[in-house]
Amino acid sequence: MPKAYVYTRHGGPEAEALTELDRPSPGPGEILIAVRAAGVNPVDWKLRQGFRRPGEDERVFPMVFGSEAAGVVEEVGQGVTGFAVGDEVFGSTQAGGYAEYALLAAGVSAHKPAALSFREAATLPVAAATAYDGVRQLDLPGGSTLLVTGAGGGVGSAAVQIARAFGLRVVGVASEGKKDFVESLGAVHVSSGPGLVERVRAAAPEGIDGVYDLVGGPLLAEAAELLKDRSKLVTAGSPLDAVAALGGARVERVRTAAVMEAVADLVVRGALKPFVTRTFPLEQAGQALRAVEDGHTRGKIVIEVTA
């Protein structure tokens, strides 16, 4: 039977297990893939802890980890067009991606360009697409200055690069240990910690035109102080009530195949580098998750599945 990495209840790492599950069958609007790579994201361990996305049903355990994957189409569900058995694809998973087989939502999936590896493609549906949606939502004109908090992480590093591709100047907030990495993306680095507002003003004396927050908490409120127009504050790191109180908004996820294709095109054109910093086999999925859960990773971590 196919292997999958699951959580069997809400809780900590003790709730995780590598197990065997029946091979899933695609329903209407779904495609089944043999997974070649799956991205690891902070939301994965948050879901294990009990976080629930708006509108989600109660979970039926065991739940397979993962929200994004790339692989080869094995079956196509009813009503799906544009995909065929044998196609190399990537997209958002319906029921987890840390597995040998996964279901993708056809409407949020795309063909993998030949120039992209499965490893690179598996990083795009969550981190890169979230970054893309947020930058597009801010809709800043070329030449504007964007502040990105959490600029050294998976979404942050993608947001910096996408903003640069859109002609924006970027100030990236990250720990001092990520200074070289953030600067390599084309951003002006500012260290996180007390005194942030003053450091940002010194780095961008002409002012900040938009803020893309990926950290939340006190940092969100500090970043908001830098804006004259609070409508140019978006967050993927704080709940709606926290950012709304400051005059900003949550990132509105578009979740379409067109967005998948757009971020893949940015990678092919060399404007976006996924920065996969570590890979793990499926059998070490727990270690991959711990590496993200400790909060100090640069770029993206990917689980690779042997064909």
Side-chain angles (χ1 to χ4, degrees):
M1 291 177 66
K3 295 178 182 177
Y5 196 70
V6 306
Y7 55 104
T8 56
R9 63 187 185 282
H10 289 139
E14 72 282 352
E16 302 172 13
L18 181 67
T19 188
E20 294 182 343
L21 297 176
D22 291 335
R23 173 172 147 160
S25 296
E30 297 178 337
I31 53 179
L32 175 71
I33 66 167
V35 177
R36 296 291 178 265
V40 182
N41 297 282
V43 71
D44 299 344
W45 60 263
K46 292 176 182 178
L47 289 168
R48 183 206 66 215
Q49 288 185 333
F51 169 75
R52 188 188 301 178
R53 296 184 179 97
E56 280 190 336
D57 296 330
E58 284 285 345
R59 299 204 171 87
V60 177
F61 299 111
M63 294 289 295
V64 181
F65 281 99
S67 303
E68 57 185 355
V72 180
V73 175
E74 293 278 321
E75 292 183 48
V76 176
Q78 181 181 355
V80 174
T81 60
F83 295 100
V85 173
D87 287 352
E88 297 182 345
V89 300
F90 67 100
S92 296
T93 62
Q94 294 287 72
Y98 297 14
E100 292 180 327
Y101 292 93
L103 296 172
L104 300 187
V108 197
S109 299
H111 291 90
K112 180 184 74 64
L116 266 66
S117 66
F118 285 114
R119 177 189 303 180
E120 292 171 322
T123 72
L124 301 181
V126 173
T130 300
Y132 183 88
D133 289 343
V135 174
R136 287 295 299 271
Q137 184 176 336
L138 285 166
D139 194 27
L140 297 172
S144 300
T145 300
L146 173 66
L147 180 74
V148 177
T149 68
V155 180
S157 59
V160 170
Q161 295 176 82
I162 292 168
R164 294 285 294 154
F166 286 179
L168 305 181
R169 180 173 183 262
V170 182
V171 177
V173 179
S175 65
E176 190 62 28
K178 295 182 179 179
K179 180 177 186 293
D180 290 345
F181 176 58
V182 170
E183 290 180 344
S184 76
L185 303 175
V188 176
H189 173 265
V190 172
S191 296
S192 52
L196 173 70
V197 171
E198 290 74 17
R199 288 194 298 278
V200 172
R201 286 176 174 155
E206 75 287 355
I208 297 296
D209 302 301
V211 172
Y212 192 168
D213 168 64
L214 298 163
V215 177
L219 187 57
L220 175 66
E222 288 183 279
E225 290 181 34
L226 295 158
L227 288 173
K228 292 180 181 178
D229 181 0
R230 294 288 182 86
S231 71
K232 296 302 181 181
L233 168 66
V234 300
T235 182
S238 287
L240 176 59
D241 57 352
V243 68
L246 296 168
R250 285 277 300 175
V251 173
E252 296 174 4
R253 294 302 317 280
V254 178
R255 301 184 192 278
T256 64
V259 170
M260 299 297 111
E261 292 165 356
V263 293
D265 181 62
L266 286 169
V267 179
V268 171
R269 291 195 285 114
L272 172 63
K273 185 175 180 180
F275 284 104
V276 177
T277 52
R278 295 181 70 184
T279 63
F280 295 81
L282 180 60
E283 291 74 18
Q284 295 177 12
Q287 295 178 41
L289 200 53
R290 296 293 81 69
V292 171
E293 195 168 0
D294 72 13
H296 300 295
T297 56
R298 297 185 185 187
K300 288 283 292 189
I301 287 178
V302 170
I303 292 167
E304 293 189 304
V305 182
T306 304

